[in-house]
Each structure stands twice: as C-alpha cells, then as structure tokens.
Amino acid sequence: MKKIIRISLTILLVILIVIQFIKPVKNTSGSVANDITTKYIVPDTVMHTLKTACYDCHSNHSEYPWYWSFQPVAWFMNGHINNGKRHLNFSDFTSYNLWRQYKTLEEINDEVKSGDMPITSYKLIHADAHLSGKQKADIQNWVAVTRKELENKYPADSLKKPKK
C-alpha cells in the first residue's frame, strides 16, 4: 500500500512540474484603438475605478500578480479573463454595434448596483477592488449620462438589438 501511495505522489509531482511549462498567453495587447475612452468621456474618478476594479478581466491589458506564474493558477485566471472579456471588453467597446454599447452600459450599471461586479474571488485578493458607495454612484451616474447622450444623439431604434 505504501508503494502505491509513493508512486501516486511521484506521478502527481511529475504532473505538477510538467504543467509549469504550459502557460496561457498573457492578455497584454495594449491596443487602444477601440477603447471606450476614444468615443466616450469617462471622468478620471470613474476611469481610476474601472482600471482598479474592472480592467484586469474586462480589457486587453491585465496586470498579473506574481502567483500567475504557477499552474494551474494561470489557467484559472486566464479563464476568468476570457470570460470577462466575452461579456465586456473596454478595450474593444467602440467596435461593438451601437445597440450593444447602449445595452452593455446598462449591464455595467446593473452589475455594479447589485454588487455582482467585481466578482468575490477577485475582491478577495484585490483589496482596492471593493467599490465604495461613492465609486458605485460615480459609475452609475457616468452610465446614466452616457446612455442619455446616446439617446439624444441616435434614433431610438438604433439603440435596440435588431430582430432577426
């Protein structure tokens, strides 16, 4: 029995060593051509909050902590980043259809208001990602102003998802 346990632990150790060489590509394109700030005014206070609490998972440039270098942590984090960018990518925001930009702004408001964003696992290791009441209010006000600007600038039907 001891031999089976020793063999199993040796195999596990070999697997843990081997997976250290299989790393996901870092999310660091740095492209800002379609960043939300190229089309919309984002107040400095809101931008600071977005960069602190949102951009690691919702942009094309993530800041990586030291423990990202270890597997399977990097895979876990990479999954969160890819999932986050699938829902909202501030770096690609202006490439979205107009109706999607409008809808996504509403979703930002809803996620912040409900406290669902940032996610709990992110807040556990990023103390500065906990949003204060003022930060939430600033984001919600910015969203409301930006959505109102869109409503004033574009026809109402262009702000709704087209029916198929």
Side-chain angles (χ1 to χ4, degrees), residues 2-164:
K2 288 182 181 181
K3 186 175 182 178
I4 291 173
I5 292 173
R6 198 174 325 128
I7 290 171
S8 298
L9 289 174
T10 302
I11 290 171
L12 179 61
L13 181 63
V14 168
I15 290 170
L16 285 172
I17 291 170
V18 169
I19 67 172
Q20 299 311 308
F21 298 99
I22 307 168
K23 297 186 189 257
V25 175
K26 283 189 170 185
N27 180 43
T28 56
S29 77
S31 174
V32 294
N34 294 312
D35 192 82
I36 193 167
T37 59
T38 62
K39 184 175 179 181
Y40 300 103
I41 296 170
V42 183
D44 290 341
T45 55
V46 172
M47 194 70 223
H48 176 73
T49 302
L50 295 179
K51 286 196 174 193
T52 302
C54 309
Y55 265 52
D56 277 346
C57 295
H58 294 286
S59 77
N60 289 337
H61 185 75
S62 300
E63 297 291 330
Y64 290 92
W66 63 269
Y67 49 83
W68 183 86
S69 300
F70 301 103
Q71 301 308 332
V73 174
W75 297 336
F76 176 75
M77 289 176 66
N78 195 54
H80 273 280
I81 291 167
N82 289 336
N83 186 44
K85 285 172 55 174
R86 193 169 36 256
H87 293 284
L88 164 62
N89 187 339
F90 287 108
S91 298
D92 292 337
F93 193 86
T94 62
S95 69
Y96 297 168
N97 295 325
L98 189 58
W99 63 265
R100 183 173 176 205
Q101 292 177 35
Y102 185 75
K103 177 71 174 156
T104 300
L105 286 165
E106 178 184 26
E107 291 168 355
I108 291 169
N109 187 57
D110 293 345
E111 293 293 317
V112 168
K113 185 177 183 180
S114 69
D116 290 341
M117 282 289 142
I119 60 173
T120 303
S121 61
Y122 188 80
K123 291 187 289 190
L124 285 174
I125 52 179
H126 295 89
D128 53 351
H130 290 270
L131 300 182
S132 69
K134 180 175 180 352
Q135 288 172 310
K136 288 179 180 182
D138 287 348
I139 291 172
Q140 291 174 298
N141 290 336
W142 165 69
V143 165
V145 167
T146 305
R147 282 176 51 96
K148 192 66 166 165
E149 288 173 1
L150 287 169
E151 291 166 5
N152 292 334
K153 188 174 182 180
Y154 298 101
D157 62 337
S158 68
L159 301 177
K160 294 180 184 168
K161 183 176 182 177
K163 294 180 182 174
K164 292 183 178 185

